[in-house]
Amino acid sequence: MINQISKKNFRLVMLVLLPAVVVLAGLWLFRGNGQDLAPSQTAPRRTALPEGAQTVLISRVPTPAWVEAVGVIRPVGEMTISAQIQAMAMEVLVRSGQEVRRGELLLTLDDRELRARLAQGRHETEALESAMEEAEMALEAARAGLDLASAEYERISALHDKGASATSELDHSRTRFLQARAEAGQAEQALSGLRAQLRRAGQLVEELLVALGHTRINASQDGTIAQRNVEPGDVVRPGQTLFLLLSRQMHLEVQVPERFHESMATGSVLTARVDVIDREFETVVAELEPSATADSRTFLVKLSLERAPPETVARIQPGMFGRVQIPLSDKQTILIPREAILRVGQLEMAAVVHEGGVYSLRHLRLGRPWGDMIEVLSGLEGGETVWLHPIQRQ
């Protein structure tokens, strides 16, 4: 009975102790390979530094600091080309995405009715001009008759005052004078009416000429046709959008947090990047809005691409995503040479050299690259000596 109880206790003890022994053995084996899961665990194993190994001193150096603002590439000019008259589209000469030059013909509209009305208006104008010539001649004749009748009336009136002319003769000369004056007034009114008609006819001809000019729609600037909203046979109406023309010159529009407003000024040179074409280039602050939007607390900045290389500008298209670096005060940064980084799987380490010619591996968290150096965010404090070209040892 006692032996049976002892056997049961022994089995229970073994079931409890066996997992603990396995865990301890695993930890011992893992530590024996010198691999730490994290810097917070026990100190890593130190290994002798090979003879002739090159080392470098890690220090904190001042580096430029910046923040990134994101934005979109947009054309400097975006022009809507609309119809000015109602007419049928006869021929559409461009398509979406086509490059056009200023003055290039884009669309022709049916001008037959306008040309017919213009011919009629010009014919009426010519007729009115002829009528005006006749009216001017009639007015000259009426004025000449008025002058004669006026002189005759004054002469008879003077004789009548001296008793040398009969009253009937005076009445007759007065009647002729009044009749001549009425005829001259009628001639002047007729000429004035013809002049007014000629002005209206001339205005109508000018309006028809302007409308006729609207039947040929040209590009107002160099650019790219972004939208085409008309097809041959469509009847267009005044105000209807026919084309959307984007200028070839583009800029980068970014929304910048309001706290950086004072650090920016028109004419400032900033570094920008367009990820999709993998290009970095200089931009110039062209426009700076003075106030921020109430909802996002950001203000709009427009950056000119005038300093970007031509081959880069040629690849940039409207709507592309861009970044711009807003410079801040320099900061102290720990930089490590790329040759001093040891990569084990997804881990990045440095071999820190200690007194006595030994080193230990230390896990790093790296930041942005600086040429041949890389920023160290954690793992080094500055002042350490690290091994260049470290070799992973088994």
Side-chain angles (χ1 to χ4, degrees):
M1 184 70 179
I2 294 175
N3 290 334
Q4 291 179 353
I5 295 175
S6 299
K7 290 180 179 180
K8 290 182 179 180
N9 292 336
F10 177 77
R11 292 175 180 174
L12 181 61
V13 171
M14 290 301 294
L15 290 174
V16 173
L17 293 179
L18 184 58
V21 172
V22 173
V23 171
L24 291 175
L27 291 175
W28 181 82
L29 291 173
F30 185 79
R31 286 173 53 82
N33 289 331
Q35 302 286 343
D36 287 342
L37 290 176
S40 61
Q41 293 183 351
T42 57
R45 185 184 65 179
R46 296 188 177 187
T47 308
L49 188 68
E51 294 184 5
Q54 296 181 352
T55 60
V56 64
L57 178 64
I58 301 299
S59 60
R60 292 178 177 268
V61 296
T63 56
W66 67 82
V67 294
E68 281 191 343
V70 298
V72 179
I73 298 291
R74 298 190 186 279
V76 174
E78 185 173 309
M79 181 168 295
T80 299
I81 300 177
S82 304
Q84 303 298 318
I85 61 173
Q86 179 171 326
M88 184 176 66
M90 300 297 291
E91 187 177 10
V92 183
L93 303 173
V94 293
R95 62 184 182 279
S96 297
Q98 181 175 335
E99 297 284 339
V100 296
R101 291 190 172 275
R102 182 176 183 178
E104 184 175 341
L105 184 62
L106 309 178
L107 171 68
T108 59
L109 302 177
D110 186 5
D111 61 356
R112 291 172 294 182
E113 180 181 353
L114 290 174
R115 290 188 179 278
R117 292 172 57 190
L118 178 62
Q120 181 180 357
R122 285 174 171 170
H123 178 72
E124 292 178 356
T125 301
E126 292 175 357
L128 288 171
E129 289 175 349
S130 299
M132 278 190 59
E133 292 179 0
E134 296 178 359
E136 288 173 352
M137 294 175 62
L139 177 60
E140 290 178 2
R143 286 175 176 174
L146 177 61
D147 292 340
L148 291 175
S150 176
E152 180 68 13
Y153 175 65
E154 290 177 357
R155 187 180 67 80
I156 298 298
S157 178
L159 293 174
H160 184 270
D161 292 340
K162 295 178 182 181
S165 174
T167 302
S168 59
E169 188 177 2
L170 177 64
D171 293 340
H172 183 69
S173 64
R174 182 188 302 113
T175 300
R176 287 200 304 270
F177 168 71
L178 293 176
Q179 183 178 1
R181 187 171 65 179
E183 291 176 353
Q186 291 176 358
E188 288 180 355
Q189 290 180 356
L191 183 60
S192 297
L194 289 173
R195 285 174 177 169
Q197 293 181 35
L198 184 60
R199 283 196 300 270
R200 289 194 295 269
Q203 292 175 355
L204 178 60
V205 169
E206 290 180 358
E207 291 175 358
L208 290 172
L209 287 172
V210 172
L212 195 61
H214 291 319
T215 61
R216 296 176 61 85
I217 299 175
N218 304 305
S220 55
Q221 62 181 11
D222 294 349
T224 304
I225 300 296
Q227 292 181 8
R228 166 181 152 173
N229 302 320
V230 60
E231 298 295 335
D234 293 349
V235 176
V236 301
R237 293 172 175 79
Q240 178 181 339
T241 300
L242 304 176
F243 303 99
L244 179 61
L245 179 62
L246 304 182
S247 66
R248 294 178 180 175
Q249 187 178 4
M250 288 174 287
H251 60 200
L252 175 60
E253 294 185 2
V254 296
Q255 295 291 338
V256 178
E258 60 182 0
R259 64 181 179 275
F260 301 116
H261 189 278
E262 294 183 354
S263 63
M264 304 189 69
T266 303
S268 302
V269 178
L270 303 178
T271 300
R273 177 178 179 79
V274 177
D275 295 338
V276 69
I277 62 174
D278 192 24
R279 288 291 184 272
E280 193 170 277
F281 49 89
E282 288 186 343
T283 60
V284 180
V285 177
E287 295 183 28
L288 187 66
E289 287 194 351
S291 59
T293 57
D295 51 350
S296 63
R297 308 313 307 169
T298 60
F299 60 95
L300 179 64
V301 179
K302 297 181 179 180
L303 302 163
S304 169
L305 308 184
E306 60 187 28
R307 299 187 61 162
E311 59 273 14
T312 298
V313 175
R315 297 182 60 187
I316 293 177
Q317 298 297 327
M320 286 184 174
F321 175 81
R323 308 173 186 267
V324 64
Q325 298 175 357
I326 302 174
L328 305 175
S329 302
D330 290 352
K331 67 175 183 176
Q332 296 296 318
T333 305
I334 302 173
L335 298 180
I336 185 173
R338 295 176 183 268
E339 296 84 354
I341 299 174
L342 176 64
R343 289 180 170 83
V344 181
Q346 296 183 351
L347 299 178
E348 295 168 323
M349 307 181 187
V352 180
V353 180
H354 305 280
E355 294 181 359
V358 296
Y359 72 91
S360 63
L361 296 179
R362 190 176 296 180
H363 295 272
L364 304 179
R365 187 164 66 90
L366 303 178
R368 63 182 59 164
W370 292 89
D372 295 334
M373 312 287 281
I374 298 181
E375 179 183 9
V376 178
L377 301 178
S378 66
L380 296 176
E381 298 295 332
E384 299 94 339
T385 299
V386 299
W387 177 18
L388 283 176
H389 308 288
I391 300 175
Q392 182 182 7
R393 294 194 169 188
Q394 301 297 333

